[in-house]
Coordinates of all heavy atoms in Angstrom, one line a residue:
M128 N 53.5 -3.7 -96.9 CA 54.0 -4.1 -95.7 C 53.6 -3.3 -94.5 O 53.3 -3.9 -93.4 CB 55.5 -4.3 -95.8 CG 56.2 -5.3 -96.5 SD 55.5 -7.0 -96.0 CE 56.9 -7.6 -95.2
T129 N 53.4 -2.0 -94.7 CA 53.0 -1.1 -93.6 C 51.8 -1.6 -93.0 O 51.6 -1.6 -91.9 CB 53.1 0.4 -94.2 OG1 54.3 0.6 -94.8 CG2 52.8 1.3 -93.1
S130 N 50.8 -1.8 -94.0 CA 49.4 -2.1 -93.5 C 49.4 -3.5 -92.7 O 48.7 -3.6 -91.7 CB 48.4 -2.2 -94.7 OG 48.8 -3.3 -95.5
R131 N 50.3 -4.5 -93.2 CA 50.3 -5.7 -92.4 C 50.9 -5.4 -91.0 O 50.4 -6.0 -90.1 CB 51.3 -6.6 -93.2 CG 51.3 -8.0 -92.6 CD 52.1 -8.9 -93.5 NE 51.8 -10.3 -93.2 CZ 52.5 -11.2 -93.7 NH1 53.5 -11.0 -94.6 NH2 52.2 -12.5 -93.5
R132 N 51.9 -4.6 -90.9 CA 52.6 -4.4 -89.6 C 51.5 -3.6 -88.7 O 51.4 -3.9 -87.6 CB 53.9 -3.5 -89.8 CG 54.5 -3.2 -88.5 CD 55.9 -2.5 -88.7 NE 56.8 -3.3 -89.6 CZ 57.8 -2.8 -90.2 NH1 57.9 -1.4 -90.2 NH2 58.6 -3.4 -91.0
T133 N 50.8 -2.7 -89.3 CA 49.8 -1.9 -88.6 C 48.8 -2.9 -88.1 O 48.4 -2.9 -87.0 CB 49.1 -0.9 -89.5 OG1 50.2 0.0 -90.0 CG2 48.2 -0.1 -88.7
F134 N 48.4 -3.8 -88.9 CA 47.4 -4.8 -88.5 C 47.9 -5.6 -87.3 O 47.1 -5.8 -86.3 CB 47.0 -5.6 -89.7 CG 46.1 -6.8 -89.4 CD1 44.7 -6.4 -89.3 CD2 46.4 -8.1 -89.3 CE1 43.7 -7.4 -88.9 CE2 45.4 -9.1 -89.1 CZ 44.1 -8.7 -88.8
I135 N 49.1 -6.1 -87.4 CA 49.7 -6.8 -86.3 C 49.8 -6.0 -85.1 O 49.6 -6.6 -84.0 CB 51.1 -7.5 -86.7 CG1 50.9 -8.5 -87.8 CG2 51.8 -8.0 -85.6 CD1 52.2 -8.9 -88.6
Q136 N 49.9 -4.8 -85.2 CA 50.0 -3.9 -84.0 C 48.6 -3.7 -83.3 O 48.5 -3.6 -82.3 CB 50.7 -2.6 -84.3 CG 52.2 -2.7 -84.5 CD 52.7 -1.5 -85.0 OE1 52.0 -0.6 -85.6 NE2 54.0 -1.3 -84.9
I137 N 47.6 -3.6 -84.2 CA 46.3 -3.2 -83.9 C 45.6 -4.4 -83.2 O 44.9 -4.3 -82.2 CB 45.4 -2.8 -85.1 CG1 45.9 -1.4 -85.4 CG2 44.0 -2.8 -84.7 CD1 45.3 -0.8 -86.8
V138 N 45.8 -5.8 -83.7 CA 45.1 -6.9 -83.1 C 45.2 -7.0 -81.7 O 44.1 -7.2 -81.0 CB 45.4 -8.2 -84.0 CG1 44.9 -9.4 -83.2 CG2 44.9 -8.1 -85.4
P139 N 46.4 -7.0 -81.1 CA 46.4 -7.2 -79.7 C 45.7 -6.0 -78.9 O 45.0 -6.3 -77.8 CB 47.9 -7.2 -79.3 CG 48.6 -7.4 -80.6 CD 47.6 -6.9 -81.7
I140 N 45.9 -4.9 -79.4 CA 45.2 -3.7 -78.7 C 43.7 -3.9 -78.8 O 43.0 -3.7 -77.8 CB 45.7 -2.4 -79.4 CG1 47.1 -2.2 -79.2 CG2 44.8 -1.2 -78.9 CD1 47.8 -1.1 -80.0
A141 N 43.2 -4.4 -79.9 CA 41.7 -4.6 -80.1 C 41.3 -5.6 -79.2 O 40.1 -5.5 -78.5 CB 41.4 -4.9 -81.5
G142 N 42.1 -6.7 -79.0 CA 41.7 -7.7 -78.1 C 41.6 -7.2 -76.7 O 40.7 -7.6 -76.0
L143 N 42.6 -6.5 -76.2 CA 42.6 -6.0 -75.0 C 41.3 -5.1 -74.8 O 40.7 -5.1 -73.7 CB 43.9 -5.2 -74.7 CG 45.1 -6.0 -74.4 CD1 46.3 -5.2 -74.2 CD2 45.0 -6.8 -73.1
A144 N 41.0 -4.2 -75.7 CA 39.9 -3.3 -75.6 C 38.7 -4.2 -75.4 O 37.8 -3.7 -74.7 CB 40.0 -2.4 -76.8
M145 N 38.6 -5.2 -76.3 CA 37.3 -6.0 -76.1 C 37.3 -6.6 -74.7 O 36.1 -6.6 -74.1 CB 37.4 -7.2 -77.1 CG 36.9 -6.7 -78.5 SD 37.1 -8.0 -79.7 CE 36.1 -9.2 -79.2
L146 N 38.4 -7.1 -74.3 CA 38.3 -7.7 -72.9 C 37.9 -6.6 -71.8 O 37.1 -6.9 -70.9 CB 39.7 -8.2 -72.5 CG 40.1 -9.7 -73.0 CD1 41.5 -9.9 -72.7 CD2 39.2 -10.6 -72.5
A147 N 38.5 -5.5 -72.0 CA 38.2 -4.4 -71.1 C 36.7 -4.0 -71.1 O 36.0 -3.9 -70.1 CB 39.1 -3.1 -71.4
S148 N 36.2 -3.9 -72.4 CA 34.8 -3.5 -72.5 C 34.0 -4.7 -72.0 O 32.8 -4.4 -71.5 CB 34.5 -3.2 -74.0 OG 34.6 -4.4 -74.7
Q149 N 34.3 -5.9 -72.2 CA 33.4 -7.0 -71.6 C 33.4 -6.9 -70.1 O 32.3 -7.1 -69.6 CB 34.0 -8.4 -72.0 CG 33.7 -8.8 -73.5 CD 34.3 -10.1 -73.8 OE1 35.2 -10.6 -73.1 NE2 33.9 -10.6 -75.0
H150 N 34.5 -6.5 -69.5 CA 34.5 -6.5 -68.1 C 33.6 -5.2 -67.6 O 32.8 -5.4 -66.7 CB 35.9 -6.3 -67.6 CG 36.0 -6.3 -66.1 ND1 35.9 -7.5 -65.4 CD2 36.2 -5.2 -65.2 CE1 36.0 -7.2 -64.1 NE2 36.3 -5.9 -63.9
A151 N 33.8 -4.2 -68.3 CA 33.1 -2.9 -68.1 C 31.6 -3.2 -68.2 O 30.7 -2.5 -67.4 CB 33.5 -1.8 -68.9
I152 N 31.0 -4.0 -69.2 CA 29.6 -4.0 -69.4 C 29.1 -5.1 -68.7 O 27.8 -5.4 -68.9 CB 29.3 -4.1 -71.0 CG1 30.0 -5.3 -71.6 CG2 29.6 -2.9 -71.7 CD1 29.5 -5.6 -72.9
A153 N 29.7 -5.9 -67.9 CA 29.1 -6.9 -67.1 C 28.1 -6.3 -66.2 O 28.3 -5.6 -65.3 CB 30.3 -7.7 -66.3
A154 N 26.8 -6.5 -66.5 CA 25.7 -6.0 -65.9 C 25.0 -7.0 -64.9 O 25.2 -8.1 -65.1 CB 24.7 -5.5 -66.9
D155 N 24.5 -6.5 -63.9 CA 23.7 -7.3 -63.0 C 22.7 -8.1 -63.8 O 22.0 -7.6 -64.7 CB 23.0 -6.4 -61.9 CG 24.1 -6.2 -60.8 OD1 25.3 -6.6 -60.9 OD2 23.6 -5.6 -59.8
V156 N 22.5 -9.3 -63.3 CA 21.5 -10.3 -63.9 C 20.1 -9.6 -63.7 O 19.8 -9.0 -62.7 CB 21.5 -11.5 -63.2 CG1 20.3 -12.4 -63.6 CG2 22.8 -12.2 -63.4
D157 N 19.3 -9.6 -64.7 CA 18.0 -9.1 -64.7 C 17.2 -10.2 -64.1 O 17.0 -11.4 -64.7 CB 17.4 -8.8 -66.0 CG 16.1 -8.2 -66.1 OD1 15.4 -8.3 -65.0 OD2 15.6 -7.7 -67.1
P158 N 16.4 -10.0 -62.9 CA 15.6 -11.1 -62.3 C 14.6 -11.7 -63.3 O 14.1 -12.7 -63.2 CB 15.0 -10.3 -61.1 CG 15.8 -9.3 -60.8 CD 16.4 -8.8 -62.1
K159 N 14.3 -10.9 -64.3 CA 13.3 -11.4 -65.3 C 13.9 -12.2 -66.4 O 13.2 -12.8 -67.3 CB 12.5 -10.1 -66.0 CG 11.6 -9.4 -65.0 CD 10.8 -8.4 -65.7 CE 10.8 -7.1 -64.8 NZ 11.6 -6.0 -65.3
D160 N 15.2 -12.2 -66.4 CA 15.9 -13.1 -67.4 C 15.4 -14.6 -67.1 O 15.3 -14.9 -66.0 CB 17.4 -13.0 -67.1 CG 18.3 -14.0 -67.9 OD1 18.5 -15.1 -67.4 OD2 18.8 -13.7 -68.9
P161 N 15.2 -15.4 -68.2 CA 14.5 -16.7 -68.0 C 15.3 -17.5 -67.0 O 14.6 -18.2 -66.2 CB 14.6 -17.3 -69.4 CG 14.5 -16.1 -70.4 CD 15.3 -15.1 -69.6
Q162 N 16.6 -17.5 -67.1 CA 17.4 -18.4 -66.3 C 17.3 -17.9 -64.8 O 17.2 -18.7 -63.8 CB 18.9 -18.5 -66.6 CG 19.6 -19.5 -65.7 CD 21.1 -19.7 -66.1 OE1 21.3 -19.3 -67.2 NE2 21.7 -20.4 -65.3
A163 N 17.3 -16.6 -64.7 CA 17.1 -16.0 -63.2 C 15.9 -16.3 -62.7 O 15.8 -16.7 -61.6 CB 17.4 -14.4 -63.4
A164 N 14.8 -16.1 -63.6 CA 13.4 -16.4 -63.0 C 13.3 -17.9 -62.7 O 12.7 -18.3 -61.7 CB 12.4 -16.2 -64.1
A165 N 14.0 -18.8 -63.5 CA 13.8 -20.3 -63.2 C 14.5 -20.6 -61.9 O 14.1 -21.5 -61.1 CB 14.5 -21.0 -64.3
L166 N 15.6 -19.8 -61.5 CA 16.3 -20.0 -60.2 C 15.8 -19.2 -59.1 O 16.2 -19.2 -58.0 CB 17.7 -19.7 -60.4 CG 18.5 -20.7 -61.3 CD1 19.9 -20.3 -61.7 CD2 18.7 -22.1 -60.5
G167 N 14.7 -18.4 -59.4 CA 14.2 -17.6 -58.4 C 15.1 -16.5 -57.9 O 15.1 -16.1 -56.7
Y168 N 15.9 -16.0 -58.9 CA 16.9 -15.0 -58.4 C 16.3 -13.6 -58.1 O 15.4 -13.2 -58.9 CB 18.0 -14.9 -59.5 CG 18.9 -13.6 -59.3 CD1 20.0 -13.8 -58.4 CD2 18.7 -12.4 -59.9 CE1 20.8 -12.6 -58.0 CE2 19.6 -11.3 -59.6 CZ 20.5 -11.4 -58.8 OH 21.3 -10.3 -58.5
V169 N 16.7 -13.0 -57.1 CA 16.3 -11.7 -56.8 C 17.5 -10.8 -56.4 O 18.4 -11.4 -55.8 CB 15.2 -11.7 -55.6 CG1 13.8 -12.1 -56.0 CG2 15.7 -12.5 -54.5
A170 N 17.5 -9.6 -56.6 CA 18.6 -8.8 -56.4 C 18.6 -8.4 -54.9 O 19.7 -7.9 -54.3 CB 18.6 -7.4 -57.2
D171 N 17.5 -8.6 -54.2 CA 17.5 -8.3 -52.7 C 16.9 -9.6 -52.0 O 15.8 -10.0 -52.2 CB 16.4 -7.2 -52.6 CG 16.2 -6.9 -51.1 OD1 16.7 -7.7 -50.2 OD2 15.5 -5.9 -50.7
A172 N 17.8 -10.3 -51.4 CA 17.5 -11.6 -50.8 C 16.3 -11.5 -49.9 O 15.5 -12.5 -49.9 CB 18.8 -12.1 -50.0
T173 N 16.0 -10.4 -49.3 CA 14.8 -10.4 -48.4 C 13.5 -10.5 -49.2 O 12.5 -10.7 -48.7 CB 14.8 -9.1 -47.6 OG1 14.7 -8.0 -48.4 CG2 16.0 -8.9 -46.7
K174 N 13.7 -10.2 -50.6 CA 12.4 -10.3 -51.4 C 12.3 -11.7 -52.0 O 11.4 -12.0 -52.9 CB 12.6 -9.3 -52.5 CG 12.7 -7.8 -52.0 CD 11.6 -7.0 -52.4 CE 11.6 -5.8 -51.7 NZ 12.7 -4.8 -51.8
A175 N 13.2 -12.7 -51.7 CA 13.0 -14.1 -52.1 C 11.6 -14.6 -51.8 O 11.0 -14.3 -50.9 CB 14.1 -15.0 -51.4
D176 N 11.2 -15.4 -52.9 CA 9.8 -16.0 -52.6 C 9.8 -17.2 -51.7 O 10.2 -18.3 -52.1 CB 9.3 -16.5 -54.1 CG 7.9 -16.9 -54.1 OD1 7.3 -17.2 -53.0 OD2 7.3 -17.0 -55.2
K177 N 9.5 -16.8 -50.4 CA 9.7 -17.8 -49.4 C 8.6 -18.8 -49.5 O 8.9 -20.1 -49.0 CB 9.5 -17.1 -48.0 CG 10.8 -16.2 -47.7 CD 10.4 -14.9 -46.9 CE 11.5 -13.9 -46.9 NZ 11.1 -12.8 -47.6
A178 N 7.6 -18.6 -50.2 CA 6.5 -19.7 -50.2 C 7.0 -20.7 -51.3 O 6.9 -21.9 -51.2 CB 5.2 -19.1 -50.8
K179 N 7.6 -20.2 -52.4 CA 8.1 -21.1 -53.4 C 9.5 -21.7 -53.0 O 9.8 -22.8 -53.5 CB 8.3 -20.3 -54.7 CG 8.4 -21.1 -56.0 CD 8.3 -20.1 -57.2 CE 8.5 -20.9 -58.5 NZ 8.7 -20.1 -59.6
Y180 N 10.2 -21.0 -52.3 CA 11.6 -21.5 -52.0 C 11.7 -21.6 -50.4 O 12.4 -20.7 -49.7 CB 12.7 -20.6 -52.5 CG 12.6 -20.5 -54.0 CD1 12.1 -19.3 -54.6 CD2 12.9 -21.6 -54.8 CE1 12.0 -19.2 -56.0 CE2 12.8 -21.5 -56.2 CZ 12.3 -20.4 -56.8 OH 12.3 -20.2 -58.1
P181 N 11.1 -22.6 -49.8 CA 11.2 -22.6 -48.2 C 12.4 -22.9 -47.7 O 12.7 -22.6 -46.5 CB 10.2 -23.9 -48.0 CG 10.0 -24.5 -49.2 CD 10.2 -23.6 -50.4
K182 N 13.4 -23.2 -48.5 CA 14.8 -23.4 -48.0 C 15.5 -22.0 -47.8 O 16.5 -22.0 -47.2 CB 15.7 -24.3 -48.9 CG 16.3 -23.6 -50.1 CD 17.3 -24.5 -50.8 CE 18.4 -23.6 -51.4 NZ 19.6 -24.4 -51.9
Y183 N 14.9 -21.0 -48.3 CA 15.6 -19.7 -48.0 C 15.4 -19.4 -46.6 O 14.4 -19.6 -45.9 CB 14.8 -18.6 -48.8 CG 15.2 -17.2 -48.4 CD1 16.4 -16.6 -48.8 CD2 14.5 -16.6 -47.4 CE1 16.8 -15.4 -48.2 CE2 14.8 -15.2 -46.9 CZ 16.1 -14.8 -47.4 OH 16.4 -13.5 -46.8
A184 N 16.5 -19.0 -46.0 CA 16.6 -18.5 -44.5 C 17.1 -17.2 -44.5 O 18.0 -16.8 -45.3 CB 17.5 -19.6 -43.8
A185 N 16.6 -16.4 -43.6 CA 17.0 -15.0 -43.5 C 18.5 -15.0 -43.2 O 19.1 -15.8 -42.5 CB 16.3 -14.3 -42.3
G186 N 19.2 -14.0 -43.9 CA 20.6 -13.9 -43.7 C 21.4 -14.4 -44.9 O 22.6 -14.2 -45.2
Q187 N 20.7 -15.3 -45.7 CA 21.3 -15.9 -46.9 C 21.4 -14.8 -47.9 O 20.4 -14.1 -48.2 CB 20.5 -17.1 -47.4 CG 20.6 -18.3 -46.5 CD 19.7 -19.5 -47.1 OE1 19.0 -19.3 -48.1 NE2 19.8 -20.6 -46.5
N188 N 22.6 -14.7 -48.6 CA 22.7 -13.9 -49.8 C 23.8 -14.3 -50.6 O 24.6 -15.1 -50.2 CB 22.7 -12.4 -49.5 CG 23.8 -12.0 -48.4 OD1 24.9 -12.6 -48.6 ND2 23.6 -11.1 -47.5
C189 N 24.0 -13.7 -51.8 CA 25.0 -14.2 -52.7 C 26.4 -14.0 -52.1 O 27.3 -14.8 -52.4 CB 24.9 -13.4 -54.0 SG 23.5 -13.7 -55.0
A190 N 26.6 -12.9 -51.3 CA 27.9 -12.8 -50.7 C 28.4 -13.9 -49.9 O 29.5 -14.0 -49.6 CB 27.9 -11.4 -49.9
S191 N 27.4 -14.7 -49.3 CA 27.7 -15.8 -48.4 C 27.6 -17.1 -49.1 O 27.6 -18.1 -48.6 CB 27.0 -15.7 -47.1 OG 25.6 -15.9 -47.3
C192 N 27.4 -17.0 -50.5 CA 27.2 -18.2 -51.2 C 28.6 -18.8 -51.8 O 29.4 -18.0 -52.2 CB 26.2 -18.0 -52.4 SG 26.1 -19.3 -53.5
Q193 N 28.8 -20.1 -51.8 CA 30.0 -20.7 -52.3 C 30.3 -20.2 -53.8 O 31.4 -20.2 -54.2 CB 29.9 -22.2 -52.4 CG 30.2 -22.9 -51.1 CD 30.0 -24.4 -51.2 OE1 30.3 -24.9 -52.3 NE2 29.7 -25.1 -50.1
L194 N 29.3 -20.0 -54.5 CA 29.5 -19.8 -55.9 C 29.8 -18.3 -56.3 O 30.2 -18.0 -57.4 CB 28.3 -20.2 -56.8 CG 27.9 -21.6 -56.7 CD1 26.6 -22.0 -57.3 CD2 29.0 -22.5 -57.3
Y195 N 29.6 -17.4 -55.3 CA 29.8 -16.0 -55.5 C 31.3 -15.7 -55.7 O 32.1 -16.2 -55.0 CB 29.3 -15.2 -54.2 CG 29.5 -13.7 -54.3 CD1 28.7 -13.1 -55.3 CD2 30.2 -12.9 -53.5 CE1 28.7 -11.8 -55.5 CE2 30.2 -11.6 -53.7 CZ 29.5 -11.0 -54.7 OH 29.5 -9.5 -54.7
Q196 N 31.6 -14.9 -56.8 CA 33.0 -14.7 -57.1 C 33.5 -13.2 -56.8 O 34.6 -12.8 -57.0 CB 33.2 -14.9 -58.6 CG 33.0 -16.3 -59.0 CD 32.8 -16.6 -60.4 OE1 32.5 -15.7 -61.2 NE2 33.2 -17.8 -60.8
G197 N 32.6 -12.4 -56.2 CA 32.9 -11.0 -55.9 C 33.8 -11.0 -54.6 O 33.8 -12.1 -53.9
K198 N 34.4 -10.0 -54.4 CA 35.3 -9.9 -53.1 C 34.4 -9.4 -52.0 O 33.4 -8.7 -52.3 CB 36.5 -8.9 -53.3 CG 37.5 -9.5 -54.3 CD 38.7 -8.6 -54.3 CE 39.0 -7.8 -55.4 NZ 38.4 -7.1 -56.2
A199 N 34.8 -9.5 -50.7 CA 34.0 -8.9 -49.7 C 34.0 -7.5 -49.8 O 34.9 -6.8 -50.1 CB 34.8 -9.3 -48.4
G200 N 32.8 -6.9 -49.6 CA 32.6 -5.5 -49.8 C 32.2 -5.0 -51.1 O 31.7 -4.0 -51.3
D201 N 32.4 -5.9 -52.1 CA 31.8 -5.6 -53.5 C 30.3 -5.6 -53.5 O 29.6 -6.4 -52.9 CB 32.3 -6.6 -54.5 CG 33.7 -6.5 -54.8 OD1 34.4 -5.5 -54.4 OD2 34.3 -7.4 -55.6
A202 N 29.7 -4.7 -54.3 CA 28.2 -4.6 -54.4 C 27.8 -5.8 -55.2 O 26.6 -6.2 -55.1 CB 27.8 -3.2 -54.9
S203 N 28.5 -6.2 -56.1 CA 28.2 -7.3 -57.0 C 29.5 -8.1 -57.5 O 30.5 -7.5 -57.3 CB 27.4 -6.8 -58.2 OG 28.2 -5.8 -58.9
G204 N 29.1 -9.3 -57.9 CA 30.3 -10.1 -58.4 C 29.7 -11.2 -59.4 O 28.6 -11.3 -59.5
G205 N 30.7 -11.9 -59.9 CA 30.2 -12.9 -60.8 C 29.6 -14.2 -60.1 O 29.8 -14.4 -59.0
C206 N 29.0 -15.0 -60.9 CA 28.4 -16.3 -60.4 C 28.4 -17.2 -61.6 O 27.9 -16.7 -62.8 CB 27.0 -16.0 -60.0 SG 26.1 -17.6 -59.6
P207 N 29.0 -18.3 -61.5 CA 29.0 -19.2 -62.7 C 27.7 -19.5 -63.3 O 27.6 -20.0 -64.4 CB 29.7 -20.5 -62.1 CG 29.8 -20.4 -60.7 CD 29.7 -18.9 -60.3
L208 N 26.7 -19.4 -62.5 CA 25.3 -19.8 -63.1 C 24.8 -18.7 -64.1 O 23.8 -19.0 -64.8 CB 24.3 -19.9 -61.9 CG 24.6 -21.0 -60.9 CD1 23.4 -21.2 -59.9 CD2 24.8 -22.4 -61.6
F209 N 25.5 -17.6 -63.9 CA 25.1 -16.4 -64.9 C 26.3 -15.8 -65.5 O 26.8 -14.9 -65.2 CB 24.4 -15.3 -64.0 CG 23.2 -15.8 -63.3 CD1 23.1 -16.1 -62.0 CD2 21.9 -16.0 -64.1 CE1 22.0 -16.5 -61.3 CE2 20.8 -16.4 -63.4 CZ 20.8 -16.7 -62.1
A210 N 26.9 -16.6 -66.5 CA 28.1 -16.3 -67.1 C 28.0 -14.9 -67.7 O 26.9 -14.6 -68.4 CB 28.5 -17.3 -68.2
G211 N 29.1 -14.0 -67.6 CA 29.0 -12.8 -68.4 C 28.3 -11.7 -67.5 O 28.2 -10.5 -68.0
K212 N 27.6 -12.1 -66.4 CA 26.8 -11.1 -65.8 C 27.3 -11.1 -64.3 O 28.1 -11.9 -63.9 CB 25.3 -11.5 -65.8 CG 24.7 -11.6 -67.1 CD 23.8 -10.5 -67.4 CE 23.4 -10.4 -68.8 NZ 22.0 -10.3 -69.0
T213 N 26.8 -10.2 -63.5 CA 27.1 -10.1 -62.1 C 25.8 -10.3 -61.3 O 24.8 -9.9 -61.9 CB 27.8 -8.8 -61.8 OG1 27.0 -7.7 -62.2 CG2 29.2 -8.8 -62.4
V214 N 25.9 -10.7 -60.1 CA 24.7 -10.9 -59.2 C 25.0 -9.9 -58.0 O 26.2 -9.7 -57.7 CB 24.6 -12.3 -58.8 CG1 24.2 -13.2 -59.9 CG2 25.8 -12.8 -58.1
A215 N 23.9 -9.4 -57.5 CA 24.1 -8.5 -56.4 C 24.6 -9.2 -55.2 O 24.2 -10.4 -54.9 CB 22.8 -7.8 -56.1
A216 N 25.5 -8.6 -54.4 CA 26.0 -9.3 -53.2 C 24.8 -9.6 -52.2 O 24.9 -10.6 -51.5 CB 27.0 -8.3 -52.4
K217 N 23.8 -8.7 -52.3 CA 22.6 -8.9 -51.4 C 21.6 -9.7 -52.2 O 20.4 -9.9 -51.7 CB 22.0 -7.5 -51.2 CG 22.9 -6.7 -50.3 CD 22.3 -5.3 -50.0 CE 23.2 -4.5 -49.1 NZ 22.9 -3.1 -49.3
G218 N 21.9 -10.3 -53.3 CA 20.9 -11.1 -54.0 C 20.8 -12.5 -53.5 O 21.4 -12.9 -52.5
W219 N 20.0 -13.3 -54.1 CA 19.7 -14.6 -53.7 C 19.2 -15.4 -54.9 O 18.4 -14.9 -55.7 CB 18.9 -14.7 -52.5 CG 18.7 -16.1 -51.9 CD1 19.4 -16.7 -51.0 CD2 17.6 -17.0 -52.3 NE1 19.0 -18.0 -50.7 CE2 17.8 -18.2 -51.5 CE3 16.5 -17.0 -53.2 CZ2 17.0 -19.3 -51.5 CZ3 15.7 -18.2 -53.2 CH2 16.0 -19.3 -52.4
C220 N 19.5 -16.8 -54.9 CA 18.7 -17.6 -55.8 C 18.7 -18.9 -55.1 O 19.3 -19.3 -54.2 CB 19.4 -17.6 -57.2 SG 20.5 -18.9 -57.4
S221 N 17.8 -19.8 -55.7 CA 17.5 -21.1 -55.1 C 18.7 -22.1 -55.2 O 18.7 -23.2 -54.6 CB 16.2 -21.8 -55.8 OG 16.5 -22.0 -57.2
A222 N 19.8 -21.7 -56.0 CA 21.0 -22.6 -55.9 C 22.0 -22.2 -54.8 O 23.1 -22.7 -54.7 CB 21.8 -22.5 -57.3
Y223 N 21.6 -21.4 -53.9 CA 22.3 -20.9 -52.8 C 22.9 -22.0 -52.2 O 22.2 -23.0 -51.8 CB 21.5 -20.0 -51.8 CG 22.3 -19.6 -50.6 CD1 23.1 -18.5 -50.6 CD2 22.3 -20.4 -49.4 CE1 23.8 -18.1 -49.5 CE2 23.0 -20.0 -48.4 CZ 23.8 -18.9 -48.4 OH 24.5 -18.5 -47.3
A224 N 24.3 -22.0 -51.9 CA 25.0 -22.9 -51.1 C 25.9 -22.2 -50.1 O 26.8 -21.4 -50.6 CB 25.7 -23.8 -52.0
K225 N 25.7 -22.3 -48.9 CA 26.5 -21.5 -47.9 C 28.0 -21.8 -48.0 O 28.4 -23.0 -48.2 CB 26.0 -21.9 -46.4 CG 26.6 -21.0 -45.4 CD 25.9 -21.1 -44.1 CE 26.5 -20.5 -43.0 NZ 26.9 -19.1 -43.2
K226 N 28.8 -20.7 -47.9 CA 30.3 -20.9 -48.0 C 30.6 -21.7 -46.9 O 30.1 -21.5 -45.7 CB 30.9 -19.6 -47.9 CG 31.2 -18.8 -49.2 CD 31.9 -17.5 -49.0 CE 32.0 -16.8 -50.3 NZ 32.2 -15.3 -50.2
P227 N 31.6 -22.6 -46.9 CA 32.1 -23.4 -45.8 C 32.7 -22.6 -44.7 O 33.2 -21.5 -44.9 CB 33.0 -24.4 -46.4 CG 33.3 -24.0 -47.8 CD 32.5 -23.0 -48.2
Ligands
SF4_380 FE1 23.8 -15.8 -55.7 FE2 24.7 -18.2 -55.1 FE3 22.6 -18.0 -56.5 FE4 24.9 -17.4 -57.7 S1 24.2 -19.4 -56.9 S2 23.0 -16.2 -57.9 S3 26.0 -16.4 -55.9 S4 22.9 -17.4 -54.4

């Protein structure tokens, strides 16, 4: 019985630890990641491939994109296009959509 009770006590703690570690290890998207490359993601919007993505306009970046989930002032934040990763506030990709 003791081991069962111990198990019941450990499971929620392990779950919380996993959640915490998932949050902690959310790393910035690697621009070389296939999906990032397909979307033309760059960690520095000024380095966006303007020839390939003529819709890019100076001043656009993840922080002003509708899909950006970071808070104002954060260096990086989530983006639903890159689940489990973060994008740089100063980044950009071709799915950019200006916040209303
Ligand atoms: Fe950045 Fe928006 Fe592209 Fe996501 S969709 S990577 S927030 S520009």
Side-chain angles (χ1 to χ4, degrees):
M128 282 308 253
T129 306
S130 65
R131 187 176 197 189
R132 184 175 300 157
T133 305
F134 180 70
I135 289 166
Q136 287 170 341
I137 288 172
V138 168
I140 294 166
L143 284 175
M145 275 174 64
L146 280 175
S148 66
Q149 278 176 353
H150 187 74
I152 58 167
D155 274 2
V156 172
D157 182 348
K159 290 188 223 102
D160 173 273
Q162 188 177 347
L166 288 166
Y168 173 79
V169 282
D171 178 354
T173 63
K174 305 241 165 64
D176 187 339
K177 290 143 194 117
K179 196 170 175 188
Y180 303 106
K182 80 166 212 168
Y183 169 78
Q187 293 180 351
N188 57 37
C189 292
S191 66
C192 175
Q193 275 183 29
L194 299 177
Y195 184 64
Q196 296 168 335
K198 292 190 254 40
D201 285 354
S203 60
C206 170
L208 299 186
F209 301 102
K212 300 251 170 130
T213 53
V214 295
K217 293 178 181 161
W219 184 88
C220 90
S221 59
Y223 175 86
K225 189 170 171 45
K226 270 184 191 160

